[in-house]
């Protein structure tokens, strides 16, 4: 009897663990991925070699290999870490002052673009009619018909969502994005 009870408890624990793992899975269809990405607080967007990401209260803009900016909201303060080449500089201002500061405005603009209401509305429209508008071919979901003559396609690849226009990959969206602030950056703030 004791062995059966242990077996039942083990099966229940495995089932709970499996459900928890499934809850954290990345959706495998573009329309579902977009919905998850838009509501996530840990995501990034890569366009034209530039990467913009958000990880809770941290935001990162990687403009090039030589220019990286990390914003960290801590209570009423906004810490800004800037890496140019191999050097870090850092400053801290109030969130209120950041709205008037040039760099602070960039923070607000990037944050708004990653959480755009317009993007959410567009994604909702695509979700409503996804299977009517798109069909799957070779792992990519392509428009069934495109009046502009450009062929748009999208695909989920792990945590990444890739978009092609006219056969060229233009944009990548990333879920489960993490931002870490290097010790050198934190040291520059002191």
């Amino acid at each position: 009897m004791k062995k059966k009870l242990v077996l039942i408890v083990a099966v229940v624990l495995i089932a709970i663990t499996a459900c928890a793992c499934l809850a954290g899975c990345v959706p495998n269809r573009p329309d579902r991925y977009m919905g998850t990405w838009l509501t996530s607080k840990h995501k990034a967007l890569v366009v034209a070699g530039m990467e913009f990401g958000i990880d809770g209260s941290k935001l990162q803009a990687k403009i090039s290999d030589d220019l990286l900016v990390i914003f960290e909201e801590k209570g009423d303060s906004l810490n800004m870490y800037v890496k140019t080449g191999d050097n870090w500089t850092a400053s801290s201002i109030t969130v209120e002052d950041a709205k008037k500061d040039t760099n602070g405005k960039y923070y607000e603009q990037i944050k708004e673009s990653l959480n755009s209401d317009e993007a959410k509305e567009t994604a909702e429209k695509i979700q409503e009619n996804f299977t009517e508008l798109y069909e799957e071919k070779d792992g990519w979901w392509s428009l069934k018909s495109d009046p502009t003559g450009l062929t748009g396609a999208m695909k989920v690849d792990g945590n990444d969502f890739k978009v092609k226009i006219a056969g060229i990959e233009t944009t990548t969206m990333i879920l489960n994005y993490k931002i870490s602030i290097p010790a050198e950056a934190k040291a520059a703030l002191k």
Side-chain angles (χ1 to χ4, degrees):
M1 183 68 177
K2 185 176 180 180
K3 287 182 181 181
K4 286 183 181 180
L5 181 60
V6 169
L7 182 62
I8 290 171
V9 170
V11 169
V12 168
L13 287 174
I14 290 170
I16 291 170
T17 303
C19 288
C21 290
L22 285 174
C25 287
V26 174
N28 62 356
R29 208 168 85 176
D31 59 326
R32 295 179 184 134
Y33 184 102
M34 279 189 284
T36 302
W37 188 89
L38 288 166
T39 58
S40 176
K41 295 188 184 308
H42 309 279
K43 61 188 172 187
L45 181 65
V46 181
V47 181
M50 295 182 289
E51 185 175 298
F52 303 97
I54 192 165
D55 180 11
S57 64
K58 293 180 236 156
L59 191 140
Q60 177 171 289
K62 183 178 181 183
I63 308 304
S64 69
D65 289 337
D66 293 326
L67 181 57
L68 172 68
V69 181
I70 301 173
F71 297 94
E72 177 186 36
E73 210 172 315
K74 282 192 142 188
D76 293 339
S77 296
L78 181 65
N79 297 334
M80 295 178 282
Y81 307 93
V82 180
K83 181 182 179 190
T84 49
D86 292 331
N87 301 317
W88 283 97
T89 58
S91 61
S92 183
I93 60 176
T94 67
V95 173
E96 194 59 39
D97 287 343
K99 293 176 182 175
K100 301 170 199 160
D101 181 78
T102 304
N103 291 327
K105 288 180 185 176
Y106 290 136
Y107 171 75
E108 290 297 324
Q109 290 170 349
I110 294 168
K111 191 174 174 182
E112 173 59 31
S113 65
L114 288 171
N115 295 309
S116 165
D117 288 335
E118 294 166 1
K120 289 177 185 172
E121 290 171 15
T122 301
E124 287 171 3
K125 289 177 186 174
I126 290 173
Q127 286 175 324
E128 289 173 12
N129 303 315
F130 186 76
T131 54
E132 295 169 22
L133 298 171
Y134 293 89
E135 60 188 346
E136 187 177 12
K137 293 179 185 175
D138 302 325
W140 288 86
W141 288 82
S142 302
L143 285 169
K144 290 181 179 178
S145 64
D146 186 355
T148 64
L150 296 173
T151 303
M154 55 192 133
K155 144 184 178 173
V156 176
D157 185 14
N159 279 339
D160 297 352
F161 175 86
K162 299 178 180 187
V163 177
K164 277 197 300 193
I165 296 178
I168 299 169
E169 284 189 39
T170 59
T171 308
T172 301
M173 297 162 69
I174 303 167
L175 269 172
N176 302 321
Y177 191 74
K178 298 291 180 209
I179 298 171
S180 60
I181 302 170
E184 299 89 357
K186 289 182 181 182
L189 186 62
K190 295 178 181 180

